[in-house]
Amino acid sequence: MATRLRQIFWGLLIVILDISFNGFDLLPDGIGYLLMAAGCYGLASWSPKFLTTQTLCLVLAVLWLIHFAIHGSNAILFNFVRQVTDCAMIWQLLGGIREYTLTKERPDLARRAENRRIAYVAIMVVTFLLTLAMEGSPDASPLAIVLAIAMLITLIMILHLIHRVKTELAIFETGKQAVSDQGDISS
């Protein structure tokens, strides 16, 4: 369990970070999506939302590859499709984490997962609508900065939540399983 959450954490971090050198992306988003898909595959027994997230991560990996070939007016529609798919992926991922934390009797972490998924989708929707409404306007810059900061904070909070679930629940579960296995051996 902890390994799968670690894969999701690092995959999401790779997607979030855009480090380029001479126009070459050192952390390709496609790798991050594949890593997240692998993590979600291993968690599918905890919630069907993880299986949906895995599928969406694979779709996003394919869309990441396709985006290199899209130009012009098609790029606007293509980016809209990517954003909607991304929102659905985060919604399902945090929904799966919410369900997992509820089964472990941690409503505090479940509530955080619910709040973060609502915040993420709300910020994405507001950003998209304001982009359409204020396209080319010089007044959009300060607002864009505020939205970018809000999104960054939300993403950091999502990563922190995944880390907490991994350390507080999944690692504890792994340790409990090891003790149980050790008890079976000595019997």
Side-chain angles (χ1 to χ4, degrees), residues 23-63:
F24 179 74
D25 191 1
L26 298 176
L27 298 171
D29 290 356
I31 302 291
Y33 289 127
L34 292 175
L35 194 55
M36 288 178 68
C40 288
Y41 176 77
L43 298 176
S45 62
W46 286 103
S47 169
K49 289 185 182 344
F50 287 120
L51 197 53
T52 304
T53 305
Q54 176 202 10
T55 302
L56 291 169
C57 285
L58 294 172
V59 168
L60 284 163
V62 170
L63 291 174

Side-chain angles (χ1 to χ4, degrees), residues 12-34:
L12 185 57
L13 189 62
I14 289 170
V15 170
I16 293 169
L17 295 177
D18 285 327
I19 301 173
S20 296
F21 182 72
N22 288 336
F24 179 74
D25 191 1
L26 298 176
L27 298 171
D29 290 356
I31 302 291
Y33 289 127
L34 292 175

Side-chain angles (χ1 to χ4, degrees), residues 16 24 37 39 41 46 53 64 74 80 91 94 98 115 117-118 121 128 140 164 167 174 185:
I16 293 169
F24 179 74
Y41 176 77
W46 286 103
T53 305
W64 174 79
N74 292 335
F80 175 74
W91 185 266
L94 293 174
R98 181 182 174 278
N115 291 340
R117 76 185 193 160
I118 291 169
V121 171
F128 178 75
R164 280 194 65 188
T167 56
T174 304
I185 293 172

